[in-house]
């Protein structure tokens, strides 16, 4: 049996196991996808242990994506982005640990499926972590004018320099949000019920694209976007398409994205039922 897994901290919210196990079953593979909580300082040990135990592939989520660059052999895209979210173990004698980034592809698919026009758009990304790096790099390559707003202004400016964009602090959001054609939240704010949105609803406008990469619940940001008649996109599509790309890297097979999407949304509905009971 092949073993795959997602590593992160926190990890209990992850729907990757439900999604990937549905895909593995649909492909008829003798395989299982698990999840493990791994702190950033323990990532090297976790990767070496997974290789020693014969794991076939891993996904990495918050806060491990940037740390992984120091450990794996990253491809050119992951190196340029500055973050790794997918790991494979070589089948050769060296058994190399290889790193990739599929987040940018997943985000691009989510935006384009919702009708977003990327070229010459003004894209504002809130957050400067691993997902933000992937999305900023991808949108910049597609011709968007990218701005980054982050709690640490210097971190935002560092990322903005990498994509020929502009960096700001969160105190600039009231001026930046109304001008943005595409607004993307890549922070973890909204993952927990009751998290206050970083974006005031009054800053949003009809027709604006508002994309929250959080997928485990409908966030306050998306609720506000719907009320403002903006186009509200949750993180499910990004999760599905980045996961599909990862599965194809590991197996060489075409991933069943429709099966994966249904599995995630079914799991979300089950969670909501469990909360209500």
């Amino acid at each position: 049996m092949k073993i795959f897994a997602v590593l992160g901290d926190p990890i209990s919210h992850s729907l990757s196991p439900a999604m990937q196990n549905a895909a593995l079953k649909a492909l008829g593979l003798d395989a299982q996808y698990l999840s493990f909580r791994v702190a950033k300082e323990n990532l090297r040990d976790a990767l070496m242990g997974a290789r020693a135990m014969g794991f076939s592939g891993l996904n990495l989520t918050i806060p491990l994506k940037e740390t992984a660059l120091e450990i794996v052999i990253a491809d050119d895209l992951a190196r340029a982005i500055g973050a790794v979210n997918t790991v494979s173990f070589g089948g050769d004698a060296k058994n190399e640990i290889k790193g990739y980034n599929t987040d940018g592809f997943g985000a691009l698919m989510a935006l384009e499926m919702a009708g977003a026009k990327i070229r010459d758009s003004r894209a504002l990304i809130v957050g400067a972590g691993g997902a933000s790096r992937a999305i900023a790099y991808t949108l910049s390559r597609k011709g968007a004018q990218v701005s980054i707003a982050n709690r640490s202004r210097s971190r935002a400016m560092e990322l903005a320099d990498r994509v020929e964009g502009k960096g700001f602090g969160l105190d600039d959001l009231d001026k930046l949000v109304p001008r943005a054609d595409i607004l993307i939240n890549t922070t973890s704010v909204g993952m927990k019920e009751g998290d206050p949105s970083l974006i005031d609803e009054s800053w949003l406008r009809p027709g604006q694209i508002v994309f929250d990469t959080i997928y485990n619940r409908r966030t306050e940001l998306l609720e506000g976007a719907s009320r403002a008649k903006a186009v509200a996109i949750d993180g499910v599509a990004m999760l599905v398409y980045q996961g599909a790309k990862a599965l194809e890297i590991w197996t060489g097979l075409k991933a069943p994205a429709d099966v994966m999407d249904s599995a995630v949304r079914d799991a979300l509905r089950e969670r909501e039922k469990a909360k209500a009971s």
Side-chain angles (χ1 to χ4, degrees), residues 30-166:
D30 183 18
Q32 189 171 7
Y33 187 102
L34 308 170
S35 64
F36 298 97
R37 184 176 181 180
V38 175
K40 187 160 58 172
E41 60 270 21
N42 295 327
L43 179 59
R44 182 179 294 274
D45 289 342
L47 292 180
M48 298 304 171
R51 178 174 66 177
M53 290 187 290
F55 279 46
S56 296
L58 299 172
N59 285 131
L60 305 179
T61 187
I62 294 172
L64 308 177
K65 298 179 182 183
E66 294 163 84
T67 303
L69 276 176
E70 306 163 9
I71 305 167
V72 306
I73 299 173
D75 72 354
D76 291 342
L77 179 60
R79 185 68 57 185
I81 289 170
V84 168
N85 82 319
T86 299
V87 173
S88 70
F89 301 98
D92 54 20
K94 293 182 180 179
N95 199 16
E96 293 175 332
I97 304 177
K98 300 176 182 178
Y100 308 87
N101 193 296
T102 66
D103 279 334
F105 173 80
L108 181 64
M109 289 292 293
L111 288 166
E112 290 183 340
M113 286 174 61
K117 302 295 187 290
I118 308 301
R119 182 164 297 280
D120 297 325
S121 67
R122 292 165 294 186
L124 172 60
I125 301 172
V126 183
S132 178
R133 287 173 178 270
I135 295 171
Y137 183 83
T138 301
L139 295 188
S140 177
R141 287 181 68 186
K142 290 291 183 178
Q145 302 168 35
V146 176
S147 296
I148 313 293
N150 190 56
R151 188 167 280 110
S152 167
R153 185 183 296 265
S154 61
R155 189 171 167 85
M157 294 178 70
E158 181 271 331
L159 174 54
D161 285 344
R162 294 172 69 111
V163 298
E164 299 182 352
K166 296 181 180 180

Side-chain angles (χ1 to χ4, degrees), residues 170-181:
L170 295 184
D171 54 349
D172 296 310
L173 286 174
D174 61 333
K175 298 182 287 291
L176 296 170
V177 171
R179 298 200 298 262
D181 301 309

